[in-house]
Amino acid sequence: MIRKNVAEILQDHVTFELEAIDRLYLNAYVPSLQTGGGFVYFVKTQLGARVPSTMMVAPMTERFVAAIDRFVTTERINLVTFEKGQRKDDIARQYLARCQAEEGVLFVGKAQEKASVFRTEKRRDAQGKTYPWIIRSTAMPNHYYFYILDKDFGPLFIKFCTYFPYAVKVCLNGHEWLKRQLTHRDIPFEPLDNGIRSSDEAGRVQRIADTLDAAKIDAVFRKWLRRLPHPFAPAHRAAGYRYQLSILQSEFALTQVLDRPLTGRCFFEEVIRENLDIGRPDQMQLIFERRVTRRTPGSFRTRVLTEGVVPSLHVQYKKSKVKQYHKEGQALRTETTINDTYDFEIGRALSNLPALREIGFAANRRLLRVESLSHDCLIGDDRLHTVTSPILVQDQRAAGLRFGDRRVHALMHALCLFALAPTGVRHRELRHLVAQLQGRDAATYSAGAMTYDLRRLRLHGLIERVARSHRYRITPIGAQVAMFYARLYTRALRPACSLTPHGPARAQRAFDRLDAALANFLQEVKLAA
């Protein structure tokens, strides 16, 4: 059986394609405050303490929290205390839907979350005297989420920890940034949830998406740092205690909008069924272009997850993964998520975004080339629908060839018998055989009926007339369709439907094994109804 890779099959079915940075989760930290020694130096030089202790930064925390309270009151912004298990994104969408401004803070959220902090520990020297020692530990301080609508980046949030050294996390979306850039430039496009569905200027859209870089991301972060309450005083920032950005998680998406949205789900399910081994180490080597050995950390497996009724395919390499799913019933979405840049021997600094972008987009493309299918189910679905439905060809109408119709199956069986006839078949020869296959006398199957059926077969492209003769020849497509109808009906449906509770035990056991195997297969790929 000839197999083709998915990338080749998609060439004939993609109407719009876009590579873009999707979600970015960033850490913002002060580099010189990541060690105990850095903390001690800060307390001594900036706070004037003789004996370093975490108690010395308590006033800073109090001033920071008070500044947030004043900001919420002055700007008349809602302060929402998140409940346990509550989806923060759902609340953000509600505020975003009501927002009329071009940009601003939508609301401020508050939650207790685990954080890495400094603590003071008492230790004893050789003489038994106690002295303070600064160590890294964990705590559950309050975190404040500033949900923001930016005119260039759209929705994003900046989260501040209220415990020294006041770690910050930033989350933004490259697709939302792209939508706003297209709007600013008056480039028409049809949106997709977290993506673009179509545009008449596809090349220009891709070029704009490629311009999202570290400088723009850093600029929007600095812009909102100037507007929001800041844990460090101006004097501290002047002394060099300023936030730097690093990459916590990055997602790189390839969106391919299909020309047949209704059959796209069938296509993706076929991809899942025929590529359940895609997570094996030898396949991972091809996708990520990295050598995989027994010492490579992480498990190598293919996972098929179902959220609602939408299945998704997941493959993992160390802490990174590639996810593939059918998006909104319209597009094939392939996403590479890099959770640890050191998986690829790249640093976490935001300046490494170009190198990560290259790795992420290349992994998406390689996955499509590694995945393979034994057939193009998009074409197959169209062909089956065309054959079974009425057709109009140059003002000539013909009825569909319905699967299950006894007369149609007689025609298909007859075509199979004449498929290899080098000179084709005549009207008279085919009529006699079709009547016999229906269990009818040839006199009851008129010449007019045979002419009607030949016309149906010809307009549907299953047969063609031999030039300057009264003979007909079966086409390659006709041979495929006729063989499918005949085999499926004769070898599967008719025997299965003929089984009865008191029928042959051997046949019933065979059918039961088939049913059990099919049920197990559907359960494995998580597509069981």
Side-chain angles (χ1 to χ4, degrees):
M1 181 182 294
I2 299 176
R3 296 178 66 89
K4 295 178 67 176
N5 66 55
V6 171
E8 291 177 311
I9 293 175
L10 286 174
Q11 288 177 359
D12 298 324
H13 302 294
V14 173
T15 59
F16 179 81
E17 185 174 277
L18 177 67
E19 283 184 330
I21 295 175
D22 195 29
R23 291 183 180 88
L24 278 177
Y25 294 90
L26 307 171
N27 276 324
Y29 65 102
V30 180
S32 57
L33 295 180
Q34 301 308 300
T35 63
F39 172 84
V40 171
Y41 186 79
F42 176 86
V43 171
K44 285 185 175 182
T45 60
Q46 300 299 313
L47 303 183
R50 285 181 53 252
V51 179
S53 170
T54 50
M55 293 294 294
M56 303 303 298
V57 297
M60 283 184 63
T61 298
E62 293 171 1
R63 286 194 297 270
F64 180 40
V65 173
I68 294 175
D69 292 335
R70 285 196 305 273
F71 179 82
V72 168
T73 302
T74 303
E75 300 294 328
R76 298 180 180 179
I77 298 170
N78 289 344
L79 178 61
V80 178
T81 300
F82 294 125
E83 303 293 336
K84 185 177 180 179
Q86 191 174 30
R87 285 182 58 87
K88 301 177 180 67
D89 287 347
D90 292 342
I91 298 175
R93 276 192 287 269
Q94 295 172 10
Y95 277 90
L96 183 61
R98 296 196 297 263
C99 181
Q100 301 296 323
E102 184 181 35
E103 72 173 14
V105 178
L106 299 173
F107 72 100
V108 178
K110 179 180 177 182
Q112 272 194 329
E113 296 176 359
K114 193 173 184 179
S116 175
V117 299
F118 289 110
R119 289 193 183 278
T120 305
E121 180 181 83
K122 286 187 178 181
R123 295 189 177 184
R124 294 182 181 275
D125 59 17
Q127 287 74 38
K129 294 182 179 180
T130 61
Y131 63 93
W133 191 259
I134 305 300
I135 62 169
R136 272 284 189 179
S137 183
T138 58
M140 291 288 290
N142 285 329
H143 288 71
Y144 285 89
Y145 288 76
F146 290 85
Y147 280 86
I148 295 164
L149 178 63
D150 185 82
K151 66 179 182 180
D152 291 319
F153 274 81
L156 58 92
F157 74 74
I158 299 177
K159 179 178 73 170
F160 287 91
C161 174
T162 57
Y163 205 108
F164 196 90
Y166 311 113
V168 176
K169 284 187 171 51
V170 183
C171 177
L172 51 86
N173 190 302
H175 281 110
E176 294 299 327
W177 171 84
L178 177 59
K179 290 177 183 178
R180 275 151 184 79
Q181 303 311 305
L182 298 178
T183 302
H184 295 336
R185 291 168 171 80
D186 294 324
I187 299 175
F189 68 94
E190 186 179 355
L192 192 67
D193 177 42
N194 197 29
I196 306 293
R197 188 189 185 284
S198 65
S199 175
D200 293 334
E201 301 185 50
R204 193 176 175 192
V205 172
Q206 184 63 67
R207 288 193 295 273
I208 293 173
D210 294 339
T211 63
L212 179 58
D213 56 17
K216 291 183 175 68
I217 294 168
D218 187 75
V220 72
F221 174 61
R222 305 291 171 193
K223 167 185 171 181
W224 286 101
L225 272 188
R226 292 191 294 270
R227 300 186 184 185
L228 301 177
H230 202 297
F232 293 98
H236 301 153
R237 300 200 293 274
Y241 293 96
R242 299 173 60 84
Y243 283 112
Q244 301 296 324
L245 289 173
S246 66
I247 300 172
L248 178 64
Q249 183 187 88
S250 53
E251 298 178 6
F252 304 92
L254 170 62
T255 306
Q256 296 170 297
V257 180
L258 303 175
D259 57 353
R260 298 169 176 82
L262 294 178
T263 55
R265 167 69 183 265
C266 301
F267 169 79
F268 180 57
E269 289 178 0
E270 289 293 333
V271 172
I272 291 178
R273 290 189 185 101
E274 298 197 29
N275 294 275
L276 290 175
D277 63 343
I278 200 70
R280 288 171 17 190
D282 56 334
Q283 303 286 52
M284 289 294 95
Q285 291 185 141
L286 297 175
I287 294 171
F288 287 100
E289 273 196 334
R290 312 287 294 185
R291 186 182 178 190
V292 176
T293 67
R294 292 182 179 180
R295 294 188 297 176
T296 303
S299 58
F300 297 94
R301 57 180 177 171
T302 306
R303 293 193 302 158
V304 179
L305 305 180
T306 302
E307 183 177 349
V309 296
V310 180
S312 57
L313 182 71
H314 299 249
V315 294
Q316 190 164 338
Y317 171 76
K318 295 184 179 180
K319 295 181 181 178
S320 302
K321 67 178 181 180
V322 185
K323 174 184 176 182
Q324 197 174 57
Y325 59 99
H326 190 222
K327 188 171 183 62
E328 293 188 359
Q330 301 181 72
L332 181 67
R333 185 69 164 262
T334 309
E335 297 175 353
T336 294
T337 301
I338 299 176
N339 294 304
D340 188 348
T341 63
Y342 290 121
D343 286 349
F344 306 97
E345 300 176 0
I346 296 174
R348 294 195 178 100
L350 184 58
S351 58
N352 292 306
L353 184 60
L356 293 177
R357 180 203 295 263
E358 184 176 343
I359 291 171
F361 290 147
N364 292 338
R365 296 289 182 180
R366 290 194 197 99
L367 176 65
L368 295 174
R369 291 197 292 270
V370 170
E371 290 175 327
S372 61
L373 285 175
S374 57
H375 67 287
D376 186 343
C377 54
L378 291 170
I379 292 177
D381 188 83
D382 282 353
R383 185 171 296 163
L384 183 61
H385 177 74
T386 301
V387 170
T388 57
S389 302
I391 193 170
L392 177 64
V393 179
Q394 296 178 350
D395 296 330
Q396 297 185 64
R397 296 181 180 275
L401 299 161
R402 292 184 295 110
F403 188 84
D405 184 281
R406 189 170 186 175
R407 182 167 162 181
V408 170
H409 280 283
L411 285 169
M412 297 301 179
H413 277 79
L415 289 181
C416 290
L417 293 175
F418 285 102
L420 299 178
T423 59
V425 60
R426 288 180 178 274
H427 178 290
R428 182 178 61 255
E429 298 167 339
L430 194 61
R431 176 188 167 203
H432 177 77
L433 183 58
V434 172
Q436 189 179 36
L437 289 168
Q438 293 182 75
R440 299 167 59 179
D441 187 87
T444 64
Y445 182 53
S446 66
M450 185 71 256
T451 300
Y452 172 80
D453 286 336
L454 285 172
R455 184 172 175 273
R456 281 202 292 174
L457 294 171
R458 180 175 57 81
L459 292 179
H460 279 285
L462 305 187
I463 63 173
E464 59 187 5
R465 192 164 184 169
V466 179
R468 295 186 296 276
S469 73
H470 294 288
R471 291 183 173 275
Y472 295 89
R473 182 168 48 222
I474 191 170
T475 65
I477 292 176
Q480 291 178 5
V481 173
M483 194 69 69
F484 168 77
Y485 271 58
R487 284 185 172 179
L488 183 61
Y489 181 76
T490 304
R491 299 188 181 184
L493 294 183
R494 190 168 62 189
C497 292
S498 66
L499 290 177
T500 65
H502 305 292
R506 182 178 178 183
Q508 186 63 49
R509 286 196 299 270
F511 182 78
D512 290 342
R513 288 197 300 270
L514 173 63
D515 182 66
L518 181 60
N520 290 336
F521 173 76
L522 293 175
Q523 183 62 34
E524 285 181 12
V525 297
K526 304 298 183 183
L527 296 176

